[in-house]
Amino acid sequence: MNGHGDVNTQLPTTGDAGKSIIHHGFEIITRKLPILKADPIEQMTSKLGITPPEMIFGDNSVSIKHIASGWSVNFNSFDALDRVDKTGGSMLQVAHSKAWQSTRAWRQEKHENITEVVKPFDWSYTTDYRGTAEPSDQAFEASTVPIPLELLKRPDPIIFFDEVMLYEDEMADNGITILSCKIRVMPARLLLLCRFFMRLDNVLFRLRDTRVYVEFATGEVIREYMAKEEDYESVRAKFAHGRIDALSAMRDPNMIAEILPVFAQRATIKRIQPPISHQSHRQFSQITRIPAAQSAAVATATTSPSPSQSASPLPPGKTSKTLEYQSKTPSPAIRLAQKVREAAPQATESYIAYGVSETLVKECARQADYKIPQLHEKGAQIPKTKTGEDLGVGEGWWYKDLHLTPTFSTWAQVTFLHMYLLTVRIRSFSPQAAPAWHQQIIDHFSYLAEDRMLTMHNIHSGMIRGRYLKDLFVQWRGLMASYDEGLVKGDAVLAAAVWRNVFKGQGAMEAKVEAGARSGDAADKVGGGDGEGESGVNFANLALVVSYMRDCLSVLDRMSDGEVVREGNVVFGDPEGERGLVGLRSGMMDLPFGQGEDKGEVTVAGGRPVTSM
């Protein structure tokens, strides 16, 4: 029931119990039953001390519960009505009831009826109800953190939705008052809206909104309460000059909510321990490249081998530090999900792709992450690059060792590079599954990029962000083509693609010297010394990135679809581990140009054979 006694003497059937879903450790339940009958209404009247509205759905409710901690918030009609003013001492209410009477001055007998109807409680049933949280000792805390509306505007799939009516009253045919709840659950978050809407004809519009937002990954629950109201004539005047029908608009709570001024607002937050899967998914073991003699044993140990696992063995004894993955026994939840996936692969593929690809893209974005310290300093100016980009502060190999500039474009290109490596691996998925994964990969990047534009670079115009996202998508398509060409034609072509995208053509302007200025001696300096050529291009760093890409692709190729890639347990490591290999001198350097290309194998210093690309 609603937690306040046996209000409805007729117990609901199983079919009436409503809908429910368990997602990321949260249980969401909605319950919808018919209007209460006479006996339950009398019981509720006795308990509340006021007469309930004309249509009271006493058994309806919406609840959100965190299973592990036992914390929950519930919305029901009894607790909402218990927040209605029962004293009749509200001056605002008295003033409006008088205004209501004055609008019916042409009927004297109506005045008398209104005098009798006005009760010593708020007859509009206005409530500031914000939900019933349990246990009560785990209360919300005051906060200035707003609900991230930009995340809610994304076209994420809705995996659960319901609308529940709690009560309604037509105010003796002179308006309407409604309390209802809507809830929608997306893969990464949920939003509940409990809205009280009142329209008292020719007198007043009133709105009381309570929103509960849950971010599953962080376990944060934000509750926001907002009160709005304005007199009837002011609202009608706002619609009078528009192209929409004013009478229809004034009956639509959503349209009214857009124009009513806010006179009270309060935000609170509750931090719940996130699900275990979100805390431990970054604890990974290291993958080791093994000799060919042991490759068969590895292939046998994987339950869902990739079609590409028959690739040639890697050099013996080489341990990869560029890519890691988690190897562990699947939990009962994962085993259950695998059974569901096997039973209905087409129905579940899009949801699996959404969740896992989000984890993978965040791992790609982590590689060249940066911060802008001046963002939260009052009056501080954000430094700019020569091209006008916001200049941040970056940590990690791509900035400290490769000396890239910590900007949005650098972050995007390094993220693209890692997304490309995953995309190559995803191409080996089944033809039915691969398209969903490709789409989700680029969608999640777009979400991250737009969020970064808004929160780190103060680009509040949706139109401008949309243009940047279109430009990034064009870059992504061109980048895939250039990297694909490099994989097929060889490391030199791949290095050129990396130079154009990641290094942004660094050194190209310096290379444009006057005709005849470069002698044969000057040309010999390119690529010499510490690896930096006359044009300013560090060829050693280019080779390092190319070797890193090859190494990651090789390790990804050995991962099975089901156990590793589809669970998102991929972590990119330190490319610095490839420097020793890049520093070895190739035997082809001693051969005349073009000789030895048909043999397919050359020898580097130390005598180890390496297949040419």
Side-chain angles (χ1 to χ4, degrees), residues 46-81:
S46 176
K47 291 177 180 293
L48 287 172
I50 61 174
T51 302
E54 295 173 350
M55 289 175 281
I56 177 69
F57 299 85
D59 292 316
N60 288 6
S61 65
V62 179
S63 67
I64 303 170
K65 180 179 180 180
H66 185 249
I67 299 174
S69 66
W71 178 89
S72 67
V73 61
N74 178 276
F75 289 81
N76 62 82
S77 58
F78 184 96
D79 290 340
L81 289 171

Side-chain angles (χ1 to χ4, degrees), residues 413-479:
Q413 289 301 325
V414 175
T415 303
F416 276 159
L417 183 145
H418 291 86
M419 287 168 53
Y420 172 77
L421 301 177
L422 294 174
T423 298
V424 173
R425 178 63 181 83
I426 290 172
R427 287 170 180 168
S428 66
F429 287 6
S430 67
Q432 294 78 18
W437 287 82
H438 288 308
Q439 184 62 48
Q440 294 296 347
I441 288 288
I442 189 61
D443 283 350
H444 282 301
F445 170 79
S446 299
Y447 299 155
L448 291 179
E450 185 173 15
D451 182 68
R452 190 168 291 251
M453 293 179 199
L454 180 67
T455 59
M456 296 183 65
H457 299 279
N458 296 320
I459 303 178
H460 295 283
S461 170
M463 182 179 297
I464 295 177
R465 294 198 305 269
R467 291 174 181 173
Y468 284 146
L469 289 175
K470 289 180 181 178
D471 290 342
L472 287 170
F473 181 72
V474 172
Q475 293 177 31
W476 167 248
R477 297 296 297 269
L479 174 146

